[in-house]
Amino acid sequence: MIITTTPSVEGRNIVDYKGIVFGEVISGVNFVRDFAAGLSNFFGGRSGAYEEELINARAQALHEMEQRAMSLGANAVVGVDIDYEVLGTDNGMLMVTASGTAVVIQ
């Protein structure tokens, strides 16, 4: 499966459009990660705990989008966009959404 942010795949022709596909992941951040991130914020530096959570959520959203494209008979997803949002009353949830157009290319 080719997944790209571009509207086409160079050297390949889109022969069928299967539709828009999405992958969504909502992930909670726990107390330990909040505490570790708070220390990083206080002392300076990067928050490895939050970065790891973001990387995992993005990978899961892309995988879910890919699975949905495959179920439509697509072999590529073009025009992919990834969005991030914090949710919840205390901003304790991270939502990652991947979307794109499922296509068949030759």
mmCIF file with all atom_site columns, all heavy atoms in Angstrom, residues 41-68:
data_model
loop_
_atom_site.group_PDB
_atom_site.id
_atom_site.type_symbol
_atom_site.label_atom_id
_atom_site.label_alt_id
_atom_site.label_comp_id
_atom_site.label_asym_id
_atom_site.label_entity_id
_atom_site.label_seq_id
_atom_site.pdbx_PDB_ins_code
_atom_site.Cartn_x
_atom_site.Cartn_y
_atom_site.Cartn_z
_atom_site.occupancy
_atom_site.B_iso_or_equiv
_atom_site.pdbx_formal_charge
_atom_site.auth_seq_id
_atom_site.auth_comp_id
_atom_site.auth_asym_id
_atom_site.auth_atom_id
_atom_site.pdbx_PDB_model_num
ATOM 1   N N   . ASN A 1 41 ? 9.292   19.913 31.375 1.00 0.00 ? 41 ASN A N   1
ATOM 2   C CA  . ASN A 1 41 ? 8.902   21.304 31.186 1.00 0.00 ? 41 ASN A CA  1
ATOM 3   C C   . ASN A 1 41 ? 9.627   22.197 32.189 1.00 0.00 ? 41 ASN A C   1
ATOM 4   O O   . ASN A 1 41 ? 10.123  23.272 31.845 1.00 0.00 ? 41 ASN A O   1
ATOM 5   C CB  . ASN A 1 41 ? 7.386   21.448 31.329 1.00 0.00 ? 41 ASN A CB  1
ATOM 6   C CG  . ASN A 1 41 ? 6.910   22.829 30.973 1.00 0.00 ? 41 ASN A CG  1
ATOM 7   O OD1 . ASN A 1 41 ? 7.425   23.448 30.054 1.00 0.00 ? 41 ASN A OD1 1
ATOM 8   N ND2 . ASN A 1 41 ? 5.925   23.305 31.695 1.00 0.00 ? 41 ASN A ND2 1
ATOM 9   N N   . PHE A 1 42 ? 9.731   21.745 33.447 1.00 0.00 ? 42 PHE A N   1
ATOM 10  C CA  . PHE A 1 42 ? 10.372  22.527 34.499 1.00 0.00 ? 42 PHE A CA  1
ATOM 11  C C   . PHE A 1 42 ? 11.873  22.654 34.272 1.00 0.00 ? 42 PHE A C   1
ATOM 12  O O   . PHE A 1 42 ? 12.440  23.730 34.386 1.00 0.00 ? 42 PHE A O   1
ATOM 13  C CB  . PHE A 1 42 ? 10.081  21.894 35.866 1.00 0.00 ? 42 PHE A CB  1
ATOM 14  C CG  . PHE A 1 42 ? 10.657  22.655 37.011 1.00 0.00 ? 42 PHE A CG  1
ATOM 15  C CD1 . PHE A 1 42 ? 10.047  23.827 37.452 1.00 0.00 ? 42 PHE A CD1 1
ATOM 16  C CD2 . PHE A 1 42 ? 11.807  22.215 37.645 1.00 0.00 ? 42 PHE A CD2 1
ATOM 17  C CE1 . PHE A 1 42 ? 10.588  24.543 38.504 1.00 0.00 ? 42 PHE A CE1 1
ATOM 18  C CE2 . PHE A 1 42 ? 12.348  22.917 38.695 1.00 0.00 ? 42 PHE A CE2 1
ATOM 19  C CZ  . PHE A 1 42 ? 11.742  24.090 39.133 1.00 0.00 ? 42 PHE A CZ  1
ATOM 20  N N   . PHE A 1 43 ? 12.528  21.535 33.956 1.00 0.00 ? 43 PHE A N   1
ATOM 21  C CA  . PHE A 1 43 ? 13.977  21.519 33.814 1.00 0.00 ? 43 PHE A CA  1
ATOM 22  C C   . PHE A 1 43 ? 14.441  21.788 32.383 1.00 0.00 ? 43 PHE A C   1
ATOM 23  O O   . PHE A 1 43 ? 15.619  21.950 32.128 1.00 0.00 ? 43 PHE A O   1
ATOM 24  C CB  . PHE A 1 43 ? 14.552  20.173 34.278 1.00 0.00 ? 43 PHE A CB  1
ATOM 25  C CG  . PHE A 1 43 ? 14.411  19.958 35.756 1.00 0.00 ? 43 PHE A CG  1
ATOM 26  C CD1 . PHE A 1 43 ? 13.536  19.013 36.250 1.00 0.00 ? 43 PHE A CD1 1
ATOM 27  C CD2 . PHE A 1 43 ? 15.136  20.726 36.652 1.00 0.00 ? 43 PHE A CD2 1
ATOM 28  C CE1 . PHE A 1 43 ? 13.398  18.816 37.619 1.00 0.00 ? 43 PHE A CE1 1
ATOM 29  C CE2 . PHE A 1 43 ? 15.001  20.544 38.015 1.00 0.00 ? 43 PHE A CE2 1
ATOM 30  C CZ  . PHE A 1 43 ? 14.125  19.587 38.500 1.00 0.00 ? 43 PHE A CZ  1
ATOM 31  N N   . GLY A 1 44 ? 13.529  21.785 31.454 1.00 0.00 ? 44 GLY A N   1
ATOM 32  C CA  . GLY A 1 44 ? 13.886  21.982 30.052 1.00 0.00 ? 44 GLY A CA  1
ATOM 33  C C   . GLY A 1 44 ? 14.091  20.645 29.367 1.00 0.00 ? 44 GLY A C   1
ATOM 34  O O   . GLY A 1 44 ? 14.275  19.610 30.003 1.00 0.00 ? 44 GLY A O   1
ATOM 35  N N   . GLY A 1 45 ? 14.014  20.653 28.066 1.00 0.00 ? 45 GLY A N   1
ATOM 36  C CA  . GLY A 1 45 ? 14.231  19.430 27.309 1.00 0.00 ? 45 GLY A CA  1
ATOM 37  C C   . GLY A 1 45 ? 12.944  18.888 26.724 1.00 0.00 ? 45 GLY A C   1
ATOM 38  O O   . GLY A 1 45 ? 11.867  19.447 26.905 1.00 0.00 ? 45 GLY A O   1
ATOM 39  N N   . ARG A 1 46 ? 13.078  17.788 26.049 1.00 0.00 ? 46 ARG A N   1
ATOM 40  C CA  . ARG A 1 46 ? 11.951  17.160 25.354 1.00 0.00 ? 46 ARG A CA  1
ATOM 41  C C   . ARG A 1 46 ? 11.259  16.166 26.268 1.00 0.00 ? 46 ARG A C   1
ATOM 42  O O   . ARG A 1 46 ? 11.884  15.572 27.143 1.00 0.00 ? 46 ARG A O   1
ATOM 43  C CB  . ARG A 1 46 ? 12.467  16.448 24.112 1.00 0.00 ? 46 ARG A CB  1
ATOM 44  C CG  . ARG A 1 46 ? 13.072  17.404 23.100 1.00 0.00 ? 46 ARG A CG  1
ATOM 45  C CD  . ARG A 1 46 ? 13.829  16.717 22.019 1.00 0.00 ? 46 ARG A CD  1
ATOM 46  N NE  . ARG A 1 46 ? 12.968  15.816 21.257 1.00 0.00 ? 46 ARG A NE  1
ATOM 47  C CZ  . ARG A 1 46 ? 13.329  15.269 20.116 1.00 0.00 ? 46 ARG A CZ  1
ATOM 48  N NH1 . ARG A 1 46 ? 14.512  15.523 19.602 1.00 0.00 ? 46 ARG A NH1 1
ATOM 49  N NH2 . ARG A 1 46 ? 12.511  14.464 19.479 1.00 0.00 ? 46 ARG A NH2 1
ATOM 50  N N   . SER A 1 47 ? 9.973   15.981 26.029 1.00 0.00 ? 47 SER A N   1
ATOM 51  C CA  . SER A 1 47 ? 9.199   15.013 26.798 1.00 0.00 ? 47 SER A CA  1
ATOM 52  C C   . SER A 1 47 ? 9.103   13.719 26.005 1.00 0.00 ? 47 SER A C   1
ATOM 53  O O   . SER A 1 47 ? 8.264   13.576 25.115 1.00 0.00 ? 47 SER A O   1
ATOM 54  C CB  . SER A 1 47 ? 7.807   15.554 27.097 1.00 0.00 ? 47 SER A CB  1
ATOM 55  O OG  . SER A 1 47 ? 7.027   14.533 27.666 1.00 0.00 ? 47 SER A OG  1
ATOM 56  N N   . GLY A 1 48 ? 9.961   12.777 26.323 1.00 0.00 ? 48 GLY A N   1
ATOM 57  C CA  . GLY A 1 48 ? 9.982   11.496 25.634 1.00 0.00 ? 48 GLY A CA  1
ATOM 58  C C   . GLY A 1 48 ? 8.675   10.729 25.781 1.00 0.00 ? 48 GLY A C   1
ATOM 59  O O   . GLY A 1 48 ? 8.241   10.053 24.859 1.00 0.00 ? 48 GLY A O   1
ATOM 60  N N   . ALA A 1 49 ? 8.020   10.861 26.939 1.00 0.00 ? 49 ALA A N   1
ATOM 61  C CA  . ALA A 1 49 ? 6.770   10.138 27.172 1.00 0.00 ? 49 ALA A CA  1
ATOM 62  C C   . ALA A 1 49 ? 5.683   10.619 26.221 1.00 0.00 ? 49 ALA A C   1
ATOM 63  O O   . ALA A 1 49 ? 4.976   9.814  25.614 1.00 0.00 ? 49 ALA A O   1
ATOM 64  C CB  . ALA A 1 49 ? 6.330   10.318 28.622 1.00 0.00 ? 49 ALA A CB  1
ATOM 65  N N   . TYR A 1 50 ? 5.543   11.928 26.085 1.00 0.00 ? 50 TYR A N   1
ATOM 66  C CA  . TYR A 1 50 ? 4.534   12.467 25.174 1.00 0.00 ? 50 TYR A CA  1
ATOM 67  C C   . TYR A 1 50 ? 4.897   12.209 23.723 1.00 0.00 ? 50 TYR A C   1
ATOM 68  O O   . TYR A 1 50 ? 4.032   11.922 22.903 1.00 0.00 ? 50 TYR A O   1
ATOM 69  C CB  . TYR A 1 50 ? 4.344   13.969 25.388 1.00 0.00 ? 50 TYR A CB  1
ATOM 70  C CG  . TYR A 1 50 ? 3.447   14.314 26.543 1.00 0.00 ? 50 TYR A CG  1
ATOM 71  C CD1 . TYR A 1 50 ? 3.738   15.387 27.372 1.00 0.00 ? 50 TYR A CD1 1
ATOM 72  C CD2 . TYR A 1 50 ? 2.289   13.589 26.811 1.00 0.00 ? 50 TYR A CD2 1
ATOM 73  C CE1 . TYR A 1 50 ? 2.918   15.728 28.431 1.00 0.00 ? 50 TYR A CE1 1
ATOM 74  C CE2 . TYR A 1 50 ? 1.468   13.913 27.871 1.00 0.00 ? 50 TYR A CE2 1
ATOM 75  C CZ  . TYR A 1 50 ? 1.782   14.985 28.675 1.00 0.00 ? 50 TYR A CZ  1
ATOM 76  O OH  . TYR A 1 50 ? 0.963   15.311 29.721 1.00 0.00 ? 50 TYR A OH  1
ATOM 77  N N   . GLU A 1 51 ? 6.176   12.313 23.404 1.00 0.00 ? 51 GLU A N   1
ATOM 78  C CA  . GLU A 1 51 ? 6.604   12.052 22.025 1.00 0.00 ? 51 GLU A CA  1
ATOM 79  C C   . GLU A 1 51 ? 6.294   10.608 21.630 1.00 0.00 ? 51 GLU A C   1
ATOM 80  O O   . GLU A 1 51 ? 5.816   10.354 20.533 1.00 0.00 ? 51 GLU A O   1
ATOM 81  C CB  . GLU A 1 51 ? 8.096   12.332 21.859 1.00 0.00 ? 51 GLU A CB  1
ATOM 82  C CG  . GLU A 1 51 ? 8.417   13.804 21.852 1.00 0.00 ? 51 GLU A CG  1
ATOM 83  C CD  . GLU A 1 51 ? 9.907   14.086 21.745 1.00 0.00 ? 51 GLU A CD  1
ATOM 84  O OE1 . GLU A 1 51 ? 10.706  13.133 21.643 1.00 0.00 ? 51 GLU A OE1 1
ATOM 85  O OE2 . GLU A 1 51 ? 10.265  15.269 21.772 1.00 0.00 ? 51 GLU A OE2 1
ATOM 86  N N   . GLU A 1 52 ? 6.558   9.683  22.534 1.00 0.00 ? 52 GLU A N   1
ATOM 87  C CA  . GLU A 1 52 ? 6.277   8.271  22.263 1.00 0.00 ? 52 GLU A CA  1
ATOM 88  C C   . GLU A 1 52 ? 4.781   8.048  22.053 1.00 0.00 ? 52 GLU A C   1
ATOM 89  O O   . GLU A 1 52 ? 4.366   7.328  21.144 1.00 0.00 ? 52 GLU A O   1
ATOM 90  C CB  . GLU A 1 52 ? 6.777   7.402  23.413 1.00 0.00 ? 52 GLU A CB  1
ATOM 91  C CG  . GLU A 1 52 ? 6.541   5.927  23.205 1.00 0.00 ? 52 GLU A CG  1
ATOM 92  C CD  . GLU A 1 52 ? 7.003   5.098  24.385 1.00 0.00 ? 52 GLU A CD  1
ATOM 93  O OE1 . GLU A 1 52 ? 7.872   5.551  25.149 1.00 0.00 ? 52 GLU A OE1 1
ATOM 94  O OE2 . GLU A 1 52 ? 6.475   3.980  24.546 1.00 0.00 ? 52 GLU A OE2 1
ATOM 95  N N   . GLU A 1 53 ? 3.964   8.676  22.879 1.00 0.00 ? 53 GLU A N   1
ATOM 96  C CA  . GLU A 1 53 ? 2.513   8.555  22.750 1.00 0.00 ? 53 GLU A CA  1
ATOM 97  C C   . GLU A 1 53 ? 2.037   9.119  21.412 1.00 0.00 ? 53 GLU A C   1
ATOM 98  O O   . GLU A 1 53 ? 1.197   8.525  20.736 1.00 0.00 ? 53 GLU A O   1
ATOM 99  C CB  . GLU A 1 53 ? 1.811   9.288  23.900 1.00 0.00 ? 53 GLU A CB  1
ATOM 100 C CG  . GLU A 1 53 ? 0.329   9.048  23.954 1.00 0.00 ? 53 GLU A CG  1
ATOM 101 C CD  . GLU A 1 53 ? -0.031  7.615  24.293 1.00 0.00 ? 53 GLU A CD  1
ATOM 102 O OE1 . GLU A 1 53 ? 0.696   6.959  25.053 1.00 0.00 ? 53 GLU A OE1 1
ATOM 103 O OE2 . GLU A 1 53 ? -1.062  7.140  23.773 1.00 0.00 ? 53 GLU A OE2 1
ATOM 104 N N   . LEU A 1 54 ? 2.596   10.250 21.000 1.00 0.00 ? 54 LEU A N   1
ATOM 105 C CA  . LEU A 1 54 ? 2.237   10.866 19.731 1.00 0.00 ? 54 LEU A CA  1
ATOM 106 C C   . LEU A 1 54 ? 2.650   9.996  18.545 1.00 0.00 ? 54 LEU A C   1
ATOM 107 O O   . LEU A 1 54 ? 1.873   9.789  17.611 1.00 0.00 ? 54 LEU A O   1
ATOM 108 C CB  . LEU A 1 54 ? 2.887   12.249 19.624 1.00 0.00 ? 54 LEU A CB  1
ATOM 109 C CG  . LEU A 1 54 ? 2.568   13.064 18.391 1.00 0.00 ? 54 LEU A CG  1
ATOM 110 C CD1 . LEU A 1 54 ? 1.087   13.360 18.312 1.00 0.00 ? 54 LEU A CD1 1
ATOM 111 C CD2 . LEU A 1 54 ? 3.360   14.353 18.414 1.00 0.00 ? 54 LEU A CD2 1
ATOM 112 N N   . ILE A 1 55 ? 3.842   9.453  18.591 1.00 0.00 ? 55 ILE A N   1
ATOM 113 C CA  . ILE A 1 55 ? 4.337   8.575  17.520 1.00 0.00 ? 55 ILE A CA  1
ATOM 114 C C   . ILE A 1 55 ? 3.449   7.343  17.397 1.00 0.00 ? 55 ILE A C   1
ATOM 115 O O   . ILE A 1 55 ? 3.065   6.947  16.300 1.00 0.00 ? 55 ILE A O   1
ATOM 116 C CB  . ILE A 1 55 ? 5.809   8.187  17.775 1.00 0.00 ? 55 ILE A CB  1
ATOM 117 C CG1 . ILE A 1 55 ? 6.706   9.401  17.545 1.00 0.00 ? 55 ILE A CG1 1
ATOM 118 C CG2 . ILE A 1 55 ? 6.234   7.019  16.890 1.00 0.00 ? 55 ILE A CG2 1
ATOM 119 C CD1 . ILE A 1 55 ? 8.121   9.226  18.080 1.00 0.00 ? 55 ILE A CD1 1
ATOM 120 N N   . ASN A 1 56 ? 3.110   6.728  18.530 1.00 0.00 ? 56 ASN A N   1
ATOM 121 C CA  . ASN A 1 56 ? 2.257   5.526  18.508 1.00 0.00 ? 56 ASN A CA  1
ATOM 122 C C   . ASN A 1 56 ? 0.859   5.835  17.987 1.00 0.00 ? 56 ASN A C   1
ATOM 123 O O   . ASN A 1 56 ? 0.310   5.073  17.186 1.00 0.00 ? 56 ASN A O   1
ATOM 124 C CB  . ASN A 1 56 ? 2.175   4.901  19.899 1.00 0.00 ? 56 ASN A CB  1
ATOM 125 C CG  . ASN A 1 56 ? 3.472   4.258  20.322 1.00 0.00 ? 56 ASN A CG  1
ATOM 126 O OD1 . ASN A 1 56 ? 4.303   3.882  19.490 1.00 0.00 ? 56 ASN A OD1 1
ATOM 127 N ND2 . ASN A 1 56 ? 3.675   4.142  21.614 1.00 0.00 ? 56 ASN A ND2 1
ATOM 128 N N   . ALA A 1 57 ? 0.283   6.951  18.429 1.00 0.00 ? 57 ALA A N   1
ATOM 129 C CA  . ALA A 1 57 ? -1.065  7.311  17.988 1.00 0.00 ? 57 ALA A CA  1
ATOM 130 C C   . ALA A 1 57 ? -1.083  7.592  16.486 1.00 0.00 ? 57 ALA A C   1
ATOM 131 O O   . ALA A 1 57 ? -2.006  7.175  15.778 1.00 0.00 ? 57 ALA A O   1
ATOM 132 C CB  . ALA A 1 57 ? -1.565  8.531  18.766 1.00 0.00 ? 57 ALA A CB  1
ATOM 133 N N   . ARG A 1 58 ? -0.069  8.273  15.981 1.00 0.00 ? 58 ARG A N   1
ATOM 134 C CA  . ARG A 1 58 ? 0.007   8.563  14.540 1.00 0.00 ? 58 ARG A CA  1
ATOM 135 C C   . ARG A 1 58 ? 0.128   7.272  13.741 1.00 0.00 ? 58 ARG A C   1
ATOM 136 O O   . ARG A 1 58 ? -0.562  7.075  12.735 1.00 0.00 ? 58 ARG A O   1
ATOM 137 C CB  . ARG A 1 58 ? 1.172   9.506  14.255 1.00 0.00 ? 58 ARG A CB  1
ATOM 138 C CG  . ARG A 1 58 ? 1.271   9.893  12.789 1.00 0.00 ? 58 ARG A CG  1
ATOM 139 C CD  . ARG A 1 58 ? 2.366   10.911 12.512 1.00 0.00 ? 58 ARG A CD  1
ATOM 140 N NE  . ARG A 1 58 ? 3.634   10.495 13.078 1.00 0.00 ? 58 ARG A NE  1
ATOM 141 C CZ  . ARG A 1 58 ? 4.363   11.231 13.928 1.00 0.00 ? 58 ARG A CZ  1
ATOM 142 N NH1 . ARG A 1 58 ? 3.950   12.401 14.336 1.00 0.00 ? 58 ARG A NH1 1
ATOM 143 N NH2 . ARG A 1 58 ? 5.520   10.781 14.373 1.00 0.00 ? 58 ARG A NH2 1
ATOM 144 N N   . ALA A 1 59 ? 0.979   6.366  14.186 1.00 0.00 ? 59 ALA A N   1
ATOM 145 C CA  . ALA A 1 59 ? 1.163   5.089  13.482 1.00 0.00 ? 59 ALA A CA  1
ATOM 146 C C   . ALA A 1 59 ? -0.140  4.287  13.480 1.00 0.00 ? 59 ALA A C   1
ATOM 147 O O   . ALA A 1 59 ? -0.499  3.680  12.465 1.00 0.00 ? 59 ALA A O   1
ATOM 148 C CB  . ALA A 1 59 ? 2.293   4.287  14.130 1.00 0.00 ? 59 ALA A CB  1
ATOM 149 N N   . GLN A 1 60 ? -0.849  4.284  14.590 1.00 0.00 ? 60 GLN A N   1
ATOM 150 C CA  . GLN A 1 60 ? -2.120  3.555  14.672 1.00 0.00 ? 60 GLN A CA  1
ATOM 151 C C   . GLN A 1 60 ? -3.167  4.166  13.742 1.00 0.00 ? 60 GLN A C   1
ATOM 152 O O   . GLN A 1 60 ? -3.919  3.440  13.084 1.00 0.00 ? 60 GLN A O   1
ATOM 153 C CB  . GLN A 1 60 ? -2.637  3.552  16.103 1.00 0.00 ? 60 GLN A CB  1
ATOM 154 C CG  . GLN A 1 60 ? -1.834  2.685  17.035 1.00 0.00 ? 60 GLN A CG  1
ATOM 155 C CD  . GLN A 1 60 ? -2.293  2.835  18.489 1.00 0.00 ? 60 GLN A CD  1
ATOM 156 O OE1 . GLN A 1 60 ? -3.300  3.458  18.772 1.00 0.00 ? 60 GLN A OE1 1
ATOM 157 N NE2 . GLN A 1 60 ? -1.521  2.265  19.406 1.00 0.00 ? 60 GLN A NE2 1
ATOM 158 N N   . ALA A 1 61 ? -3.233  5.502  13.685 1.00 0.00 ? 61 ALA A N   1
ATOM 159 C CA  . ALA A 1 61 ? -4.203  6.176  12.815 1.00 0.00 ? 61 ALA A CA  1
ATOM 160 C C   . ALA A 1 61 ? -3.900  5.874  11.345 1.00 0.00 ? 61 ALA A C   1
ATOM 161 O O   . ALA A 1 61 ? -4.818  5.599  10.558 1.00 0.00 ? 61 ALA A O   1
ATOM 162 C CB  . ALA A 1 61 ? -4.198  7.682  13.068 1.00 0.00 ? 61 ALA A CB  1
ATOM 163 N N   . LEU A 1 62 ? -2.638  5.899  10.967 1.00 0.00 ? 62 LEU A N   1
ATOM 164 C CA  . LEU A 1 62 ? -2.268  5.578  9.585  1.00 0.00 ? 62 LEU A CA  1
ATOM 165 C C   . LEU A 1 62 ? -2.578  4.122  9.256  1.00 0.00 ? 62 LEU A C   1
ATOM 166 O O   . LEU A 1 62 ? -3.060  3.814  8.163  1.00 0.00 ? 62 LEU A O   1
ATOM 167 C CB  . LEU A 1 62 ? -0.781  5.877  9.336  1.00 0.00 ? 62 LEU A CB  1
ATOM 168 C CG  . LEU A 1 62 ? -0.421  7.353  9.232  1.00 0.00 ? 62 LEU A CG  1
ATOM 169 C CD1 . LEU A 1 62 ? 1.091   7.542  9.297  1.00 0.00 ? 62 LEU A CD1 1
ATOM 170 C CD2 . LEU A 1 62 ? -0.993  7.956  7.960  1.00 0.00 ? 62 LEU A CD2 1
ATOM 171 N N   . HIS A 1 63 ? -2.321  3.229  10.190 1.00 0.00 ? 63 HIS A N   1
ATOM 172 C CA  . HIS A 1 63 ? -2.604  1.815  9.978  1.00 0.00 ? 63 HIS A CA  1
ATOM 173 C C   . HIS A 1 63 ? -4.110  1.582  9.806  1.00 0.00 ? 63 HIS A C   1
ATOM 174 O O   . HIS A 1 63 ? -4.533  0.838  8.921  1.00 0.00 ? 63 HIS A O   1
ATOM 175 C CB  . HIS A 1 63 ? -2.067  0.975  11.130 1.00 0.00 ? 63 HIS A CB  1
ATOM 176 C CG  . HIS A 1 63 ? -2.344  -0.476 11.000 1.00 0.00 ? 63 HIS A CG  1
ATOM 177 N ND1 . HIS A 1 63 ? -1.703  -1.279 10.083 1.00 0.00 ? 63 HIS A ND1 1
ATOM 178 C CD2 . HIS A 1 63 ? -3.228  -1.279 11.646 1.00 0.00 ? 63 HIS A CD2 1
ATOM 179 C CE1 . HIS A 1 63 ? -2.168  -2.512 10.174 1.00 0.00 ? 63 HIS A CE1 1
ATOM 180 N NE2 . HIS A 1 63 ? -3.100  -2.538 11.121 1.00 0.00 ? 63 HIS A NE2 1
ATOM 181 N N   . GLU A 1 64 ? -4.909  2.225  10.647 1.00 0.00 ? 64 GLU A N   1
ATOM 182 C CA  . GLU A 1 64 ? -6.362  2.089  10.547 1.00 0.00 ? 64 GLU A CA  1
ATOM 183 C C   . GLU A 1 64 ? -6.866  2.614  9.201  1.00 0.00 ? 64 GLU A C   1
ATOM 184 O O   . GLU A 1 64 ? -7.706  1.992  8.550  1.00 0.00 ? 64 GLU A O   1
ATOM 185 C CB  . GLU A 1 64 ? -7.028  2.849  11.694 1.00 0.00 ? 64 GLU A CB  1
ATOM 186 C CG  . GLU A 1 64 ? -8.520  2.651  11.775 1.00 0.00 ? 64 GLU A CG  1
ATOM 187 C CD  . GLU A 1 64 ? -9.093  3.331  13.005 1.00 0.00 ? 64 GLU A CD  1
ATOM 188 O OE1 . GLU A 1 64 ? -8.776  2.892  14.125 1.00 0.00 ? 64 GLU A OE1 1
ATOM 189 O OE2 . GLU A 1 64 ? -9.857  4.296  12.830 1.00 0.00 ? 64 GLU A OE2 1
ATOM 190 N N   . MET A 1 65 ? -6.333  3.758  8.757  1.00 0.00 ? 65 MET A N   1
ATOM 191 C CA  . MET A 1 65 ? -6.710  4.315  7.461  1.00 0.00 ? 65 MET A CA  1
ATOM 192 C C   . MET A 1 65 ? -6.333  3.351  6.339  1.00 0.00 ? 65 MET A C   1
ATOM 193 O O   . MET A 1 65 ? -7.116  3.103  5.418  1.00 0.00 ? 65 MET A O   1
ATOM 194 C CB  . MET A 1 65 ? -6.029  5.671  7.248  1.00 0.00 ? 65 MET A CB  1
ATOM 195 C CG  . MET A 1 65 ? -6.388  6.338  5.937  1.00 0.00 ? 65 MET A CG  1
ATOM 196 S SD  . MET A 1 65 ? -5.380  7.794  5.611  1.00 0.00 ? 65 MET A SD  1
ATOM 197 C CE  . MET A 1 65 ? -3.768  7.042  5.352  1.00 0.00 ? 65 MET A CE  1
ATOM 198 N N   . GLU A 1 66 ? -5.141  2.775  6.421  1.00 0.00 ? 66 GLU A N   1
ATOM 199 C CA  . GLU A 1 66 ? -4.679  1.814  5.419  1.00 0.00 ? 66 GLU A CA  1
ATOM 200 C C   . GLU A 1 66 ? -5.597  0.595  5.365  1.00 0.00 ? 66 GLU A C   1
ATOM 201 O O   . GLU A 1 66 ? -5.958  0.127  4.276  1.00 0.00 ? 66 GLU A O   1
ATOM 202 C CB  . GLU A 1 66 ? -3.251  1.378  5.734  1.00 0.00 ? 66 GLU A CB  1
ATOM 203 C CG  . GLU A 1 66 ? -2.709  0.344  4.789  1.00 0.00 ? 66 GLU A CG  1
ATOM 204 C CD  . GLU A 1 66 ? -1.298  -0.101 5.156  1.00 0.00 ? 66 GLU A CD  1
ATOM 205 O OE1 . GLU A 1 66 ? -0.738  0.387  6.159  1.00 0.00 ? 66 GLU A OE1 1
ATOM 206 O OE2 . GLU A 1 66 ? -0.764  -0.958 4.437  1.00 0.00 ? 66 GLU A OE2 1
ATOM 207 N N   . GLN A 1 67 ? -5.994  0.073  6.514  1.00 0.00 ? 67 GLN A N   1
ATOM 208 C CA  . GLN A 1 67 ? -6.877  -1.085 6.564  1.00 0.00 ? 67 GLN A CA  1
ATOM 209 C C   . GLN A 1 67 ? -8.225  -0.778 5.919  1.00 0.00 ? 67 GLN A C   1
ATOM 210 O O   . GLN A 1 67 ? -8.780  -1.611 5.192  1.00 0.00 ? 67 GLN A O   1
ATOM 211 C CB  . GLN A 1 67 ? -7.075  -1.549 8.007  1.00 0.00 ? 67 GLN A CB  1
ATOM 212 C CG  . GLN A 1 67 ? -5.815  -2.092 8.655  1.00 0.00 ? 67 GLN A CG  1
ATOM 213 C CD  . GLN A 1 67 ? -5.246  -3.273 7.899  1.00 0.00 ? 67 GLN A CD  1
ATOM 214 O OE1 . GLN A 1 67 ? -5.930  -4.236 7.606  1.00 0.00 ? 67 GLN A OE1 1
ATOM 215 N NE2 . GLN A 1 67 ? -3.977  -3.177 7.556  1.00 0.00 ? 67 GLN A NE2 1
ATOM 216 N N   . ARG A 1 68 ? -8.737  0.404  6.164  1.00 0.00 ? 68 ARG A N   1
ATOM 217 C CA  . ARG A 1 68 ? -10.018 0.788  5.565  1.00 0.00 ? 68 ARG A CA  1
ATOM 218 C C   . ARG A 1 68 ? -9.889  0.938  4.051  1.00 0.00 ? 68 ARG A C   1
ATOM 219 O O   . ARG A 1 68 ? -10.801 0.578  3.309  1.00 0.00 ? 68 ARG A O   1
ATOM 220 C CB  . ARG A 1 68 ? -10.535 2.067  6.212  1.00 0.00 ? 68 ARG A CB  1
ATOM 221 C CG  . ARG A 1 68 ? -10.990 1.826  7.638  1.00 0.00 ? 68 ARG A CG  1
ATOM 222 C CD  . ARG A 1 68 ? -11.499 3.057  8.311  1.00 0.00 ? 68 ARG A CD  1
ATOM 223 N NE  . ARG A 1 68 ? -11.985 2.710  9.647  1.00 0.00 ? 68 ARG A NE  1
ATOM 224 C CZ  . ARG A 1 68 ? -12.185 3.587  10.603 1.00 0.00 ? 68 ARG A CZ  1
ATOM 225 N NH1 . ARG A 1 68 ? -11.978 4.878  10.388 1.00 0.00 ? 68 ARG A NH1 1
ATOM 226 N NH2 . ARG A 1 68 ? -12.616 3.204  11.780 1.00 0.00 ? 68 ARG A NH2 1
#
